[in-house]
Amino acid sequence: MERERAKNGEELPVSEQSVGILHGVGQKTREALSKLGVETVGDLVRLYPRAYQNRGDTMSLSLIREKLADGETGPFSAILTVAAAPVTRTVRRGMTLTKTRAFDETGSVEITWFNQPYIVSRVHVGETFRFYGRYTWEYGKLNLNSPVTEAWREDVPLADIVPVYPVTAELKQKFMADAVAQALRLTEREWKENLPLDALSELGLPTVGYTLRQIHRPESAAAIGAAKKRLAFEELYLMFLSMAQSGAAAKQPSGALRFTDCGLDEFLAALPFALTGAQARSVGEIAADLSGGKLMNRILTGDVGSGKTAVAEAAAYLAVKNGKKAVVMAPTEILARQHYADFSRLFEKLGIKTALLCGATKKKERNEILEGLRADGGVDIVVGTHALLTEDVTFGRLGLAVIDEQHRFGVRQRAALFEKAKNVHCLVMSATPIPRTLTLAAYGMIDVSRLDELPAGRAKTSTFIVNESYRERLNGFIRKQAGEGRQIYVVCPAVEEREREADAEELSNLSLYEETPETAPMKSALQTADELAHALPELRIGFVHGKLKSAEKDRVMTEFAEGRLDVLVSTTVVEVGVNVPNATLMIVENAERFGLSQLHQLRGRVGRGSYQSYFILVSDTKSPEAQDRLKAIKSTTDGFEIAEYDLELRGPGDFFSEAGAIRQHGQMNFRLAAACRDPVMIERASYYAKRTVEDDPALARPENAETARRLAALGRKEGKIQN
Ligand code: ADP
Ligand code: MG
């Protein structure tokens, strides 16, 4: 589209132009902005402040003293008159302190600036300033360190609420504020409403113009609240929209794909075990879909280990039995390999040909598979990664598409798959047990099968909660398990570098996002890996984290899966459904940082063989809430129950995307929606999304044009995450 416009000599809308067109944005800055997911001017408009400084809420020093005594920490704002000329002294090389005193009618405060000697020329005796910062009560007096210092004059009003933007080390707040101001000015006339107008009026949400203006230059805390509510709704709406869209695409009447032969005797005889009740029920639901004359659009949800693969195999079997082919797509190569191993072992017995296609597949073999996928080719079932999505892959006689862990694919990849697998039966597998409440809302257009029962004969996994004082014993336990030939996972929370930096330097007392309260200092994954290597030098330890290239990640994961590593230290980015039955111990560091559903999924990585397994949560958290959550994990193993509880506590975040994977890449997408705990908002967003898609599945109507653009922009970012 971009090229077409250029050809016609038409200008691209400013929103879609590169941030490079802004004043003061050069190559370096563009790279820094890109780390924040900002490529276009429009992205900058959608880069919401992470917090605000409420400098306008000024109070007297005596009130500040009272608040401090009540345990509040501020920051606070006060209008004060300077009592003495500031004096600078050098305390040691490279460090100066500039001190003065200031007062109001209720008291006085000692102010210290670090390394800001120029203050002397700006702050004079008798002048009045608004001082915003952290006040403390120490040594029997009120102190204030390095406050934001603004000259206070009746005739020059100051901004009361000042946004704090997400930044990287290279970007300064002042720069961000300028760049965003430019972006707002340049794009304002292009802003278009992207929500249904009746949704706005029903829920009392502000328009897009008000929202974008207030989110960046709020008039009041209440205005931020209104804007935030609208943005949360918008994110929910877009999220549901992309789900409903993929649902609608599949759900078309199709007599052609009515499977008439749904007998499973031969299949069940070849299966090495008897189906559980839940598996049998799900297979029955699928068979009914496949023979029902409409396209199946079903999600199969169940805990890790609940046996989703066998259900997918039954569906694939029915496709082949009815003269069609099936495609099974997994988000990573290692998962694709595991599925392939499982499928090919079973289907070989049935004389059904299975092939594996991923990025690493050699050209010659690849060509053979592509050949086999033609209508007259010999491949019945192909398992693979997104390598299946390249242009040269075409499926003949395709009848069924199975997608594992759909949420791990980007919007674009999903779209590409739906394009290729148009008009075929579709089965999505999800290891996140989706709470019933959300199923109703999100999957109204999709049918749901639930595997709420685990195959019998599994050794139980025991869950323990310990604190740092157990470190020695933990290491001893790792040694013992490894000594018995077992394998160990150590999982650490992903480090959000950018946010930590920002936290350290910027004071704010109004937050846009709900931050996880800082309960205990977080150990980095790197440090954990280091310490383990020191404590247990005799063990083979591997380390995977989000910053690794995916080939490298896969290599380490494969080494672990093949038993060539004793311990795998990882961040959750890699926590996909890998099956290593020999792993019997998982230790989760800073467990309070994880969502319940995440923890539950992690627990599913162990206890997959016949060995007694252990799931150990390490946490020094003092927060009673966090402790309750950890206890909840200890007390139940029912994924659906946990999911319901997690939804209540944290909002739908975990269920839509693996929040960890998105946050780690510094993306802000859907963070507001993820934290939205208002069931009415969730339900209404889903209602409007469904309605929109029913009316206009391709979002082709003019009134949906802006919505389509927003989805595309989000898809572009999500696509980036995958790379
Ligand atoms: P999921 O994909 O849901 O995490 P899998 O399909 O990988 O689970 O199944 C986990 C393990 O359980 C596999 O080793 C599989 O062979 C085994 N399994 C699946 N269904 C049954 C069953 N009905 N009885 C016994 N074992 C089963
Ligand atoms: Mg699986």
Side-chain angles (χ1 to χ4, degrees):
M1 189 158 82
E2 200 164 312
R3 218 173 296 140
E4 259 165 51
R5 276 222 190 79
K7 220 170 37 196
N8 300 339
E10 249 178 87
E11 280 272 306
L12 216 50
V14 180
S15 311
E16 290 172 36
Q17 295 181 31
S18 158
V19 280
I21 67 163
L22 300 177
H23 275 293
V25 179
Q27 184 56 31
K28 276 239 171 65
T29 321
R30 267 175 62 181
E31 279 162 24
L33 284 169
S34 165
K35 285 190 207 159
L36 296 169
V38 173
E39 312 278 353
T40 65
V41 179
D43 292 341
L44 204 50
V45 173
R46 289 290 181 167
L47 184 76
Y48 314 135
R50 52 186 296 282
Y52 301 87
Q53 297 179 339
N54 189 359
R55 300 183 195 165
D57 188 14
T58 55
M59 42 190 94
S60 67
L61 289 178
S62 65
L63 182 59
I64 289 175
R65 249 195 88 177
E66 269 172 46
K67 287 190 175 267
L68 290 172
D70 285 346
E72 286 186 45
T73 55
F76 300 116
S77 195
I79 297 167
L80 307 171
T81 305
V82 175
V87 177
T88 298
R89 67 196 166 87
T90 304
V91 279
R92 56 165 195 272
R93 253 174 88 103
M95 167 125 138
T96 65
L97 296 183
T98 304
K99 280 183 183 283
T100 189
R101 294 186 63 74
F103 63 92
D104 65 7
E105 51 280 24
T106 68
S108 75
V109 59
E110 184 167 311
I111 305 177
T112 309
W113 289 271
F114 294 92
N115 287 341
Q116 288 170 260
Y118 52 85
I119 285 289
V120 172
S121 63
R122 285 213 206 140
V123 171
H124 307 105
V125 185
E127 289 174 349
T128 303
F129 295 87
R130 185 169 74 179
F131 292 105
Y132 173 87
R134 285 254 190 255
Y135 291 73
T136 53
W137 178 259
E138 269 174 322
Y139 318 114
K141 61 182 168 54
L142 204 51
N143 301 280
L144 176 58
N145 286 337
S146 294
V148 174
T149 306
E150 298 165 293
W152 180 257
R153 299 216 326 249
E154 295 286 324
D155 53 331
V156 188
L158 296 171
D160 284 341
I161 301 181
V162 178
V164 179
Y165 286 97
V167 289
T168 62
E170 302 93 334
L171 297 169
K172 296 269 167 293
Q173 283 299 331
K174 169 106 177 56
F175 163 81
M176 288 302 281
D178 286 350
V180 170
Q182 286 186 62
L184 291 176
R185 207 169 50 238
L186 290 172
T187 60
E188 197 160 14
R189 63 188 168 81
E190 291 172 3
W191 296 347
K192 291 197 189 74
E193 188 50 64
N194 60 0
L195 290 178
L197 295 179
D198 49 349
L200 298 187
S201 64
E202 184 200 329
L203 293 157
L205 301 172
T207 61
V208 69
Y210 177 90
T211 303
L212 292 178
R213 248 171 257 126
Q214 293 297 329
I215 210 79
H216 291 291
R217 276 187 221 142
E219 279 159 15
S220 64
I224 297 173
K228 175 175 165 176
K229 189 172 166 199
R230 138 112 201 186
L231 292 176
F233 183 82
E234 188 179 308
E235 288 183 1
L236 284 167
Y237 174 74
L238 292 171
M239 215 149 48
F240 284 128
L241 209 54
S242 71
M243 288 180 184
Q245 233 183 344
S246 49
K251 218 165 200 179
Q252 289 156 7
S254 170
L257 274 182
R258 181 196 292 271
F259 292 177
T260 47
D261 184 358
C262 285
L264 280 160
D265 292 349
E266 191 199 17
F267 171 83
L268 295 175
L271 209 59
F273 42 72
L275 293 180
T276 64
Q279 281 172 320
R281 195 183 61 228
S282 301
V283 170
E285 288 163 353
I286 288 168
D289 285 356
L290 297 177
S291 57
K294 266 204 236 152
L295 286 180
M296 171 167 73
N297 187 32
R298 183 170 287 277
I299 182 162
L300 175 66
T301 150
D303 273 345
V304 168
S306 58
K308 292 184 285 295
T309 316
V311 176
E313 284 164 345
Y317 170 79
L318 290 178
V320 176
K321 200 174 184 197
N322 285 273
K324 301 292 178 191
K325 296 178 195 278
V327 53
V328 180
M329 192 162 95
T332 64
E333 189 148 337
I334 184 163
L335 270 177
R337 282 183 194 286
Q338 281 190 0
H339 281 317
Y340 174 70
D342 218 301
F343 271 72
S344 56
R345 205 179 318 124
L346 175 69
F347 284 116
E348 202 161 33
K349 296 189 224 164
L350 295 164
I352 292 173
K353 173 124 177 67
T354 317
L356 173 69
L357 189 75
C358 34
T361 309
K362 294 272 173 351
K363 191 147 184 227
K364 180 160 171 286
E365 198 189 341
R366 181 185 165 88
N367 286 337
E368 280 169 22
I369 295 172
L370 295 189
E371 199 63 33
L373 285 174
R374 301 253 175 83
D376 56 353
V379 175
D380 301 303
I381 300 171
V382 63
V383 180
T385 58
H386 53 263
L388 290 164
L389 300 179
T390 48
E391 255 171 61
D392 58 342
V393 184
T394 49
F395 303 101
R397 280 191 289 124
L398 189 65
L400 170 75
V402 177
I403 308 166
D404 197 11
E405 309 269 339
Q406 162 175 251
H407 62 282
R408 298 186 52 94
F409 291 102
V411 168
R412 265 189 185 175
Q413 290 173 322
R414 243 177 290 174
L417 183 72
F418 286 119
E419 190 53 40
K420 278 210 193 278
K422 228 192 253 169
N423 301 324
V424 305
H425 295 294
C426 180
L427 180 67
V428 168
M429 297 194 280
S430 162
T432 307
I434 297 159
R436 202 176 283 278
T437 336
L438 212 55
T439 326
L440 295 176
Y443 294 95
M445 304 189 79
I446 304 183
D447 302 305
V448 183
S449 292
R450 298 152 66 96
L451 293 183
D452 48 11
E453 176 190 356
L454 292 183
R458 291 275 160 77
K460 265 229 168 318
T461 299
S462 311
T463 301
F464 299 95
I465 306 169
V466 303
N467 59 26
E468 207 44 53
S469 72
Y470 282 73
R471 187 58 63 189
E472 289 276 306
R473 271 189 270 176
L474 278 177
N475 288 342
F477 196 47
I478 294 177
R479 191 179 286 122
K480 179 160 171 287
Q481 291 288 319
E484 289 169 12
R486 302 286 82 76
Q487 288 166 284
I488 297 100
Y489 292 102
V490 178
V491 179
C492 309
V495 185
E496 298 168 42
E497 262 175 70
R498 176 175 57 75
E499 302 216 344
R500 267 195 325 172
E501 277 162 23
D503 271 342
E505 74 189 62
E506 283 131 17
L507 305 159
S508 71
N509 45 5
L510 269 179
S511 168
L512 184 61
Y513 300 101
E514 293 184 38
E515 310 281 338
T516 356
E518 202 74 28
T519 45
M522 179 162 68
K523 216 154 82 171
S524 83
L526 191 64
Q527 191 191 343
T528 305
D530 265 2
E531 286 175 9
L532 269 178
H534 269 99
L536 304 161
E538 74 277 21
L539 298 187
R540 296 163 301 171
I541 299 176
F543 181 32
V544 265
H545 52 85
K547 298 235 158 66
L548 285 185
K549 292 248 158 47
S550 63
E552 177 66 9
K553 248 185 261 178
D554 270 8
R555 192 183 57 74
V556 182
M557 295 297 291
T558 307
E559 274 185 60
F560 186 72
E562 290 173 357
R564 286 181 279 131
L565 291 173
D566 301 303
V567 182
L568 181 70
V569 181
S570 71
T571 56
T572 38
V573 192
V574 292
E575 114 238 11
V576 275
V578 178
N579 189 24
V580 184
N582 192 44
T584 51
L585 169 60
M586 176 176 286
I587 296 175
V588 183
E589 302 286 342
N590 289 101
E592 75 281 357
R593 298 252 161 192
F594 293 84
L596 286 185
S597 299
Q598 265 180 315
L599 286 176
H600 178 67
Q601 262 186 300
L602 286 171
R603 178 163 56 190
R605 309 289 143 202
V606 290
R608 308 195 72 158
S610 50
Y611 310 105
Q612 162 70 40
S613 296
Y614 305 89
F615 184 59
I616 303 185
L617 304 169
V618 186
S619 176
D620 272 341
T621 183
K622 298 278 179 295
S623 145
E625 258 170 61
Q627 285 170 348
D628 279 354
R629 293 197 301 126
L630 297 183
K631 279 182 204 144
I633 282 287
K634 190 172 152 64
S635 69
T636 176
T637 53
D638 179 340
F640 288 100
E641 197 179 311
I642 290 172
E644 214 59 70
Y645 188 49
D646 206 17
L647 177 66
E648 228 169 84
L649 281 177
R650 309 209 326 159
D654 274 8
F655 307 105
F656 289 126
S657 61
E658 290 201 358
I662 287 185
R663 291 215 191 110
Q664 192 170 36
H665 286 78
Q667 302 289 327
M668 313 290 283
N669 310 356
F670 295 157
R671 269 184 72 187
L672 288 165
C676 174
R677 274 187 239 108
D678 182 348
V680 173
M681 292 270 281
I682 296 174
E683 194 278 322
R684 294 321 283 160
S686 129
Y687 164 82
Y688 284 107
K690 269 180 243 164
R691 194 190 64 181
T692 303
V693 168
E694 271 160 16
D695 290 353
D696 182 16
L699 301 180
R701 291 209 202 127
E703 70 264 29
N704 291 324
E706 186 59 22
T707 308
R709 255 194 297 279
R710 287 285 296 142
L711 268 182
L714 289 165
R716 174 165 55 77
K717 287 191 192 177
E718 219 185 295
K720 242 182 77 166
I721 294 172
Q722 298 292 325
N723 299 333

